[in-house]
Amino acid sequence: MRLVAAIILAVWMSGLFGQPALAENRVALVIGNSHYQNVGRLINPANDASALADTFTLAKFDVVMLRNDLTASEMRRVLREFADKARIADIAVLYYAGHGIEIDGNNYLIPVDAVLERDADVYDEAIGLDRVLIAVEPAKQLRLIILDACRDNPFAKTMKRTIAMRGIGQGLAKVEPTIPNTLIAFAAKAGFTALDGDLGQKNSPYASALAAHLTTPGLDLRKAFGFVRDDVLKATGNRQEPFIYGSLGGDDVALVPSPAPRAPAPTVLADPYAAIRRDYELAERVGTKEAWDFFIATYPSGFYAKLAQSQRNKLAAEEARLASAERAKSAAEEKTRLAAEQAAQERIAKAEAEAKAAVEKAKLAAQARAAEEARVAELKKALEEAETEAARVKADTAGKAAPAMSSADSKPAPDSAAGRLGSLTPAEHAEEAPAADDTPRRLLAELRRVGCFMGSINGTWNDAAQQSLARFNKYAGATLDTRLASLDALEVVRGKSERVCPLVCEHGYRPDGETCTKIICKAGSQLNDDNGCEKSKTRKPEMPDARRDGPLRAEPVNKPPISQGDSDFLHRCGATSCSMALRGCMRKTAIMGVDSSVCAAKYNACLQTGSFVGRFCSLHGLARN
């Protein structure tokens, strides 16, 4: 009986071991917490969880549980449900992406509804890593926990300390699993933070590397995490280094078994340049002159040494170009600054020159005004003295002439020169009085200077003065009002530095530059009325007209005309008619104490048609009567 039982048992055992191995039961729980309620939202945990869930599904895992944005109560319930699934599984994998924190050397996963105002709140509001280990503990062959939770934790920045000695670490703390065949993978080494991924990237660097290598069929899990480490270091520029805690046995452990037995690996000859290539790639990632100098010093010859020298020369050329551009920019800025300073100095010099010229001009103007005021004061004083003297002489003359004028026999005839002088009314005398304003006198003086006025300057603006200003307008091309003597006219005439009106000479003389030259005719010729020489003719003497001349005796025709001095004397009287010239002559002779009988002779000469004074009156527009 015992023999039969032994045979049956041997047959059963042989049948058992002769059957192919049963397929492993694999379960996975994937959690992604992105939308935290009390701190800022994380960009990629939900995307990372979705990518890993798809990876486990494509790898034919029996159960894949995907949960996102779990609160504390929801995380505890999900862990209980997953623990039930792991009881019948050979391999249990839990992936968590979100915030994590380390308090006093213990690691915690943070749900989305956590507040964590104080450090002690972690025990009530967060899920400890020990609780997660309990959820995967029932698996028979492999327990794998992947924590992509080493991100920069905002809760630690605002959390209040209840005990000063309680430590809050950066990242997660190092762990050593006590359960066999258990691995805990961190996205970053203990004490360091992991990157969540740049804006615009769908997954973090760690999640992307896991999806690429973790479920490679037949790939040992430890080697798969080695590939993940290399990819993350390269993607982050060596800023993030994933790390694994725990241990496995000597056999290969793959999350996805090989579809068929693997053939022996072919013998590969050792690459003699593998070490040099790795060092070259490392120096290339650093990308500085110092790194290339160190590589060249280590490998001074060979193909990679030449490549390194080329890379170093490229960096040196770029540095030289940047330095040259900086020097050119500095030179341009210095040139601009110097140009601005020079322009400012030129503006200052110009302003100083203008100010100096303005001061000099004001000084000259003040001197001119002072000289003009002194000249005007002197003229006013001379006029006042002349008027005072004239009044005194007139009073003396009136006193002497009163007895003689009382007799009817001694009364001068109306047509005589004396009668004409005595018939002057006070209004006519007042007409000859100088004006209170000195502008006419000054304007006449300037008109005489430019050759447009030949009469006497007595301060009255009469017809002769108006005609002289009209002559100035004609020859100077001006449009001054001739009816009055204005300061504007005075300034315009004063602005002429040379003669304006042509020189006018008396009969028998012709202009020669600024002087009059006497015209001399040849023998047998005589000077005609047009200042031309013609053959002599016998002329009958002109008889005096008694009705016109009255008792005054006319000079014979063959008597030479009055002299230039006499004509100037008459013209200085400011006469506008021969009778007015007579009255002016009488007044001047009285002032000067000269015999007034000369005035009658000059009056008769003025009335003579062929005399110089007659032509003088006609030339200047003076009426004969």
Side-chain angles (χ1 to χ4, degrees):
M1 179 64 71
R2 291 181 177 175
L3 179 60
V4 173
I7 294 172
I8 294 173
L9 179 61
V11 171
W12 179 80
M13 291 294 293
S14 62
L16 178 64
F17 286 101
Q19 296 292 332
L22 297 177
E24 296 174 339
N25 191 330
R26 297 169 296 168
V27 295
L29 172 61
V30 181
I31 300 174
N33 285 347
S34 289
H35 294 81
Y36 281 87
Q37 300 172 8
N38 300 301
V39 293
R41 173 181 175 273
L42 289 174
I43 300 174
N44 289 328
N47 297 333
D48 296 341
S50 178
L52 266 297
D54 293 342
T55 300
F56 294 140
T57 300
L58 293 175
K60 307 292 185 181
F61 270 58
D62 298 283
V63 175
V64 178
M65 299 172 61
L66 173 63
R67 301 291 185 272
N68 288 328
D69 299 326
L70 299 179
T71 62
S73 61
E74 291 171 345
M75 287 186 70
R76 293 187 179 93
R77 184 175 64 253
V78 168
L79 290 174
R80 286 196 301 270
E81 293 175 1
F82 185 67
D84 293 338
K85 303 291 183 182
R87 294 182 188 280
I88 58 173
D90 296 305
I91 297 175
V93 180
L94 189 149
Y95 172 83
Y96 171 79
H99 278 307
I101 190 171
E102 178 260 316
I103 301 288
D104 284 341
N106 297 316
N107 299 318
Y108 298 87
L109 309 184
I110 303 177
V112 295
D113 62 342
V115 179
L116 302 183
E117 294 182 351
R118 298 172 296 275
D119 52 4
D121 294 342
V122 172
Y123 307 118
D124 300 324
E125 300 179 15
I127 307 300
L129 183 58
D130 293 340
R131 178 68 185 85
V132 178
L133 285 170
I134 293 173
V136 299
E137 186 177 4
K140 300 178 180 62
Q141 296 181 7
L142 175 66
R143 289 157 288 277
L144 175 61
I145 298 176
I146 304 173
L147 298 181
D148 193 358
C150 304
R151 294 170 170 83
D152 188 14
N153 185 7
F155 291 99
K157 299 177 181 179
T158 59
M159 186 180 294
K160 299 178 181 178
R161 303 288 184 91
T162 58
I163 299 176
M165 298 300 295
R166 179 172 289 147
I168 301 176
Q170 182 180 14
L172 298 180
K174 178 180 178 181
V175 294
E176 291 295 342
T178 58
I179 304 173
N181 296 325
T182 301
L183 293 181
I184 301 177
F186 284 1
K189 187 186 297 186
F192 293 87
T193 58
L195 300 177
D196 189 39
D198 296 333
L199 187 64
Q201 292 182 350
K202 186 176 180 180
N203 300 110
S204 68
Y206 187 58
S208 299
L210 289 173
H213 300 289
L214 196 60
T215 58
T216 302
L219 182 63
D220 181 64
L221 191 61
R222 288 161 292 195
K223 196 167 186 178
F225 275 109
F227 291 148
V228 169
R229 169 187 173 276
D230 293 342
D231 288 356
V232 173
L233 283 173
K234 184 176 181 180
T236 61
N238 296 327
R239 290 181 294 169
Q240 177 180 341
E241 181 183 4
F243 216 81
I244 302 174
Y245 298 95
S247 63
L248 297 177
D251 295 334
D252 289 346
V253 179
L255 290 183
V256 179
S258 299
R262 291 180 297 173
T267 303
V268 179
L269 297 177
D271 185 1
Y273 300 104
I276 299 178
R277 183 167 58 252
R278 285 195 302 270
D279 291 345
Y280 180 87
E281 293 174 352
L282 180 60
E284 188 175 26
R285 285 198 297 270
V286 175
T288 63
K289 289 174 58 178
E290 291 77 9
W292 291 118
D293 289 339
F294 183 75
F295 180 87
I296 294 171
T298 305
Y299 305 102
S301 62
F303 175 73
Y304 286 99
K306 294 180 179 179
L307 290 179
Q309 185 64 43
S310 176
Q311 295 285 2
R312 189 191 182 284
N313 294 340
K314 185 188 298 183
L315 289 177
E318 180 64 17
E319 290 180 358
R321 187 189 66 80
L322 294 177
S324 178
E326 185 65 25
R327 287 195 299 271
K329 181 180 178 182
S330 300
E333 292 176 350
E334 181 66 16
K335 184 178 180 180
T336 303
R337 184 185 65 81
L338 293 176
E341 291 181 355
Q342 183 177 1
Q345 292 176 358
E346 291 177 354
R347 288 196 299 270
I348 293 172
K350 182 178 179 182
E352 291 177 351
E354 290 177 352
K356 185 176 180 180
V359 170
E360 187 66 24
K361 184 177 180 181
K363 182 179 178 181
L364 294 176
Q367 292 176 354
R369 284 196 301 272
E372 182 65 18
E373 290 174 357
R375 189 175 68 82
V376 170
E378 183 179 352
L379 290 175
K380 286 184 177 180
K381 182 178 179 182
L383 179 61
E384 291 174 357
E385 292 177 354
E387 289 176 349
T388 302
E389 182 64 20
R392 184 184 63 77
V393 172
K394 183 177 180 181
D396 294 345
T397 305
K400 294 178 181 180
M405 296 298 294
S406 62
S407 174
D409 296 337
S410 61
K411 184 176 181 179
D415 294 334
S416 65
R420 291 179 182 272
L421 183 60
S423 64
L424 292 176
T425 62
E428 290 173 330
H429 285 291
E431 182 182 355
E432 299 298 325
D437 187 7
D438 194 49
T439 303
R441 181 183 300 276
R442 295 163 61 188
L443 180 55
L444 289 173
E446 293 296 331
L447 287 171
R448 169 179 285 181
R449 181 180 61 79
V450 296
C452 296
F453 181 69
M454 301 297 293
S456 175
I457 301 175
N458 56 4
T460 59
W461 192 252
N462 48 30
D463 292 342
Q466 294 179 13
Q467 292 172 4
S468 65
L469 185 57
R471 294 187 68 214
F472 176 82
N473 285 341
K474 175 181 177 182
Y475 291 105
T479 58
L480 301 174
D481 188 2
T482 61
R483 293 173 295 179
L484 55 99
S486 63
L487 291 176
D488 292 339
L490 178 60
E491 290 298 327
V492 172
V493 178
R494 184 178 291 171
K496 303 297 182 180
S497 60
E498 299 178 353
R499 173 185 288 274
V500 175
C501 298
L503 178 64
V504 177
C505 299
E506 65 181 37
H507 184 260
Y509 292 84
R510 64 170 176 267
D512 186 7
E514 295 295 326
T515 61
C516 292
T517 304
K518 185 176 181 180
I519 301 174
I520 301 175
C521 296
K522 297 181 180 181
S525 299
Q526 63 180 11
L527 190 67
N528 58 19
D529 294 340
D530 296 330
N531 267 2
C533 294
E534 62 181 10
K535 295 181 69 174
S536 301
K537 296 181 180 179
T538 303
R539 298 179 59 186
K540 294 182 179 181
E542 182 180 350
M543 299 302 294
D545 189 350
R547 291 178 302 172
R548 182 188 67 192
D549 299 337
L552 296 177
R553 183 175 59 84
E555 297 183 21
V557 176
N558 57 358
K559 186 176 180 180
I562 63 175
S563 66
Q564 176 68 31
D566 293 338
S567 65
D568 290 344
F569 182 82
L570 285 176
H571 192 66
R572 283 197 300 272
C573 292
T576 59
S577 66
C578 293
S579 60
M580 187 178 294
L582 178 60
R583 291 194 296 271
C585 179
M586 295 295 290
R587 185 173 65 254
K588 291 294 184 179
T589 54
I591 293 174
M592 299 174 62
V594 181
D595 186 6
S596 61
S597 60
V598 70
C599 295
K602 293 181 178 181
Y603 174 74
N604 289 334
C606 181
L607 296 178
Q608 291 178 0
T609 303
S611 68
F612 167 73
V613 177
R615 289 192 300 274
F616 183 85
C617 293
S618 298
L619 179 62
H620 290 280
L622 303 178
R624 294 185 60 194
N625 293 313

